[in-house]
Amino acid sequence: MDMPLRALPDPLDDYAWPAAENEVPKEVFSREDIYRRELTHLFAGPVWHVAAHRAELPQRNDFKTTWLAETPILLIHGADGVVRGFHNACAHRGVMLETRRRGHAQEFECPYHRWLFDDQGRLRACPAERDFPPGFDKADHGLAPLRCEEFLGLIFVSLSDAAPPLREYLRGLEPSLELVLMGDGDCQLLGYHKTVIDANWKLYRDNDGYHTPLLHKAFTWLNWHGGKGSQVVTEHGHLAVTADLKPLSDTGALHDPSLLEFKAAIRAGGEGPQAKTGVLVVSPGTLISKALDLPIIRYALPKGVNRTEIHWTFIAHRKDDPEMLRHRIRQANMMGPSAMISLEDAAVFNRAQKATATQPPNTRFVKGYRPGMDLTQAGQNDEVGNLAWWDIYRRLMGFERGAA
Ligand code: FES
Ligand SMILES: [Fe+2]
């Protein structure tokens, strides 16, 4: 007689999270079992993930592939104008269907047994179908769809039916997204840089305005600390730091000071959103910024517990004139994996990863923290803005706080 299989208890069900709400255990950056739990509770959990911007697949029949942690996904801009998301796996025996990062295709053919799918993920043809079981219906064997919704051209996907509607998930972040996506999100792709850091993806996403002028020398040229800035933290753990920067006219280091120019702001009369810099963390793992005039989307894609691929995606407005395009491209020298700002981030994240097995066991967020505070209240240069997200993470993972 077959015995029913019983699921083994997961020791992580009893994991004790630190009692102090401003502390995070270092081991969440390095424990393999915690990473595996993230795959089910977070990456397949009730959250949305930024997977692309329409600028990356602007034409009908363009596609992009990417990953939701260990799950490869395929985004297709259909001939009907709708962008859809699918598991990037053939519905037959599970071979990854598309391996190119981006491209243009009317249909997708699996190389193994040549099943053919269309731009809406429908199975169109399969060789030797007459030998399939009676009743085999191609309509039942399309690509597995993902929930897929858009805001300002950003394409979000979710593996979970329990994720709230996207507009609810983003509530409070809309003005900041408008700022970094140049108002209407009508963008064109300038290009990519891809880098790998030897650090957990959550170290990358914990951004704060505290370190900005301290770690990044070049941010002092922009007068980050002196600017009038603010930080918005939303109920779903997104954060947006916005600053009115006043770049120095003479850094003593740059031969070409136009690198620091707010050209779009000058054109707009020096006022308004174009004169602001914004750095957003769209939870769980995407950073979107407009440093001076250059919007950048950074997808932090986990490749295991201690390795993260960062896809730097540089964009411009679709209606930019040639001079503005050149200017935005030049400003990619300001912020990027081999630019004035950002190498230092990778260096400190790598060092944090190396030191996860150290005492004290927890990291601490202290800048701007007051016991009992509303965790959504943070100033421009505070680090507490990350705590709302950490509390969401703790709850998604099913971790209870330990006794104080
Ligand atoms: S696995 Fe794709 S056609 Fe067989
Ligand atoms: Fe940084």
Side-chain angles (χ1 to χ4, degrees):
M1 195 178 78
D2 286 344
M3 295 293 288
L5 290 174
R6 256 195 250 135
L8 292 172
D10 183 345
L12 284 176
D13 289 343
D14 298 323
Y15 187 79
W17 192 263
E21 63 182 351
N22 65 331
E23 296 192 8
V24 170
K26 292 176 183 172
E27 62 186 10
V28 300
F29 303 114
S30 58
R31 270 181 64 166
E32 185 69 35
D33 57 347
I34 290 180
Y35 173 67
R36 307 296 324 164
R37 192 170 172 106
E38 287 173 1
L39 300 182
T40 51
H41 289 54
L42 195 147
F43 290 99
V47 290
W48 289 94
H49 307 262
V50 184
H53 190 279
R54 257 187 191 256
E56 299 172 78
L57 57 172
Q59 307 295 332
R60 292 172 187 223
N61 289 111
D62 285 348
F63 67 84
K64 175 190 173 182
T65 61
T66 182
W67 295 79
L68 262 182
E70 313 272 312
T71 304
I73 66 172
L74 170 62
L75 301 168
I76 307 173
H77 186 161
D80 59 357
V82 177
V83 176
R84 297 177 177 82
F86 302 97
H87 290 253
N88 185 5
C90 175
H92 179 213
R93 299 251 297 274
V95 167
M96 192 192 287
L97 188 61
E98 181 56 65
T99 55
R100 292 169 290 177
R101 301 281 190 166
R102 293 171 63 230
H104 188 82
Q106 317 291 334
E107 48 196 21
F108 298 84
E109 187 186 57
C110 177
Y112 200 1
H113 312 92
R114 305 280 171 192
W115 284 24
L116 189 71
F117 301 87
D118 71 9
D119 63 328
Q120 293 189 26
R122 296 174 293 206
L123 178 60
R124 283 303 186 200
C126 23
E129 194 184 337
R130 66 187 171 282
D131 296 330
F132 290 10
F136 178 89
D137 185 350
K138 288 202 279 295
D140 299 333
H141 298 272
L143 301 179
L146 304 167
R147 285 181 74 192
C148 192
E149 290 187 27
E150 273 186 57
F151 183 75
L152 290 179
L154 286 171
I155 297 162
F156 291 77
V157 295
S158 179
L159 293 173
S160 168
D161 289 338
L166 180 64
R167 290 303 294 256
E168 185 186 323
Y169 185 69
L170 294 178
R171 192 161 48 218
L173 197 66
E174 301 94 333
S176 312
L177 283 167
E178 282 170 20
L179 166 72
V180 293
L181 293 170
M182 301 170 292
D184 57 6
D186 188 8
C187 302
Q188 60 176 305
L189 179 68
L190 294 176
Y192 295 101
H193 283 299
K194 289 176 184 166
T195 51
V196 175
I197 58 171
D198 292 325
N200 182 268
W201 67 276
K202 299 186 294 303
L203 285 166
Y204 193 81
R205 64 130 286 145
D206 261 343
N207 210 348
D208 64 73
Y210 180 24
H211 83 286
T212 303
L214 302 171
L215 175 66
H216 304 296
K217 168 78 181 155
F219 260 120
T220 60
W221 299 342
L222 304 178
N223 198 12
W224 175 271
H225 260 161
K228 287 177 280 156
S230 62
Q231 182 167 178
V232 172
V233 182
T234 78
E235 65 196 291
H236 285 282
H238 313 301
L239 64 92
V241 180
T242 307
D244 275 316
L245 301 182
K246 299 280 177 286
L248 303 181
S249 49
D250 182 11
T251 61
L254 295 175
H255 288 299
D256 180 0
S258 73
L259 191 67
L260 304 184
E261 225 169 60
F262 261 126
K263 223 182 247 302
I266 293 165
R267 286 183 180 185
E271 289 297 324
Q274 297 289 19
K276 291 181 190 292
T277 277
V279 183
L280 279 56
V281 182
V282 185
S283 289
T286 308
L287 280 76
I288 308 180
S289 55
K290 184 176 76 67
L292 301 167
D293 287 316
L294 181 65
I296 307 171
I297 303 170
R298 282 175 272 166
Y299 306 100
L301 306 185
K303 298 288 162 190
V305 67
N306 53 16
R307 194 174 160 85
T308 306
E309 229 173 71
I310 315 296
H311 292 195
W312 291 75
T313 309
F314 298 86
I315 55 183
H317 199 273
R318 202 171 53 80
K319 297 191 179 133
D320 279 346
D321 58 35
E323 187 197 349
M324 182 58 81
L325 269 182
R326 265 197 310 281
H327 170 64
R328 295 203 209 266
I329 292 168
R330 193 183 309 120
Q331 285 197 336
N333 292 296
M334 187 65 193
M335 193 149 173
S338 53
M340 302 284 184
I341 296 170
S342 166
L343 270 176
E344 316 85 291
D345 285 320
V348 296
F349 300 147
N350 289 355
R351 286 166 69 153
Q353 188 71 30
K354 283 192 170 81
T356 52
T358 53
Q359 293 295 328
N362 303 333
T363 64
R364 292 150 182 172
F365 292 80
V366 291
K367 177 83 164 66
Y369 179 70
R370 301 284 176 276
M373 71 181 289
D374 173 352
L375 293 179
T376 63
Q377 298 304 309
Q380 176 195 343
N381 295 322
D382 288 346
E383 58 180 346
V384 290
N386 290 290
L387 291 175
W389 139 258
W390 274 113
D391 203 48
I392 290 168
Y393 173 88
R394 178 186 66 74
R395 284 184 276 127
L396 281 172
M397 294 287 280
F399 296 156
E400 295 293 328
R401 287 193 188 284

